[in-house]
Amino acid sequence: MSILEIKNLKYAYSRDSIVFKNINVNLEEGKIYSILGHSGSGKTTFLSLLGGLDIPTEGEILFKGENIENYGLANHRKNNVSFIFQSYNLIHHISVLDNVELGLTLSGVPKKERRKRALEMLDKVGLKRHAYKKPNQLSGGQMQRVAIARALVNNPDIILADEPTGALDTKTSVQIMEILKEISKDKLIIMV
């Protein structure tokens, strides 16, 4: 079933600087889609549009049949989408557990429920025993698993992953890809 539909999508910085145009695609849940292209080709810009961080110059992005602009970009980001970044984007002065809880805090989930869900998610990615460490006490692969736990804790329908293995060694990259493969069974994952 198509969960995300992109119709005639165009993004331009100016009239003379078009990043891409005429993108039409239907994306289904339960799958991983890859975006490939050279540096500067608009891959991250495309993810930003899908995640409601930016607005297309032309065209529509439909989530379950509704234009995400009509739904509200902030609501789309809060309820439907999560991001996994190459650089982890963890807050280093708070614990791993607090990093994972952060999205739930912003959604207004009560503290007891936040803690429970965050610990369950850390357990799912094999890091429950590291919950009270700071991110700088972890390896790169562990930090990426924290980022994945943070992305999943709100149970989004869509995961947007911008080079999630780019800063990792081959062995750790394979482990991260296995986690993403497992997650994709009931989510839509779009990955650069």
Side-chain angles (χ1 to χ4, degrees):
M1 175 184 159
S2 179
I3 191 169
L4 200 61
E5 186 178 357
I6 294 112
K7 292 182 172 183
N8 301 314
L9 196 67
K10 175 183 176 181
Y11 189 78
Y13 296 119
S14 68
R15 203 175 81 178
D16 298 326
S17 181
I18 298 170
V19 179
F20 46 73
K21 62 182 180 178
N22 299 324
I23 295 179
N24 293 282
V25 66
N26 291 324
L27 304 170
E28 299 176 12
E29 65 185 342
K31 295 192 177 187
I32 298 176
Y33 293 89
S34 296
I35 300 171
L36 305 172
H38 59 82
S39 180
S41 64
K43 301 178 301 291
T44 298
T45 300
F46 185 64
L47 286 186
S48 293
L49 292 168
L50 298 181
L53 294 174
D54 211 344
I55 300 170
T57 307
E58 292 177 14
E60 294 182 295
I61 301 167
L62 306 174
F63 173 75
K64 295 183 178 178
E66 185 173 352
N67 189 315
I68 65 170
E69 290 182 57
N70 297 340
Y71 183 76
L73 297 180
N75 284 331
H76 179 62
R77 289 188 303 271
K78 184 171 84 171
N79 299 317
N80 307 329
V81 169
S82 281
F83 293 86
I84 302 170
F85 301 97
Q86 177 180 356
S87 59
Y88 323 126
N89 287 358
L90 301 176
I91 301 170
H92 289 281
H93 67 274
I94 64 175
S95 72
V96 164
L97 181 60
D98 289 337
N99 268 280
V100 175
E101 281 186 27
L102 191 59
L104 296 171
T105 302
L106 298 172
S107 295
V109 176
K111 184 172 181 63
K112 188 175 180 180
E113 177 67 15
R114 281 195 319 255
R115 184 68 32 122
K116 177 181 175 283
R117 285 170 57 182
L119 285 169
E120 286 172 356
M121 197 54 62
L122 283 169
D123 191 39
K124 189 172 188 170
V125 297
L127 291 176
K128 189 173 182 178
R129 67 186 179 99
H130 298 290
Y132 297 97
K133 290 183 177 178
K134 299 282 196 293
N136 62 0
Q137 295 174 293
L138 304 176
S139 70
Q142 289 170 322
M143 285 192 286
Q144 191 60 294
R145 285 188 279 156
V146 172
I148 290 170
R150 181 187 57 202
L152 294 176
V153 76
N154 267 339
N155 195 28
D157 292 303
I158 302 168
I159 306 289
L160 302 174
D162 195 357
E163 299 189 44
T165 62
L168 304 174
D169 62 74
T170 303
K171 181 181 176 186
T172 308
S173 294
V174 169
Q175 292 170 347
I176 297 301
M177 289 305 298
E178 287 300 318
I179 292 171
L180 292 175
K181 189 171 143 186
E182 180 65 30
I183 293 165
S184 74
K185 290 180 180 172
D186 63 348
K187 308 266 181 231
L188 164 61
I189 298 179
I190 304 167
M191 181 172 53
V192 170

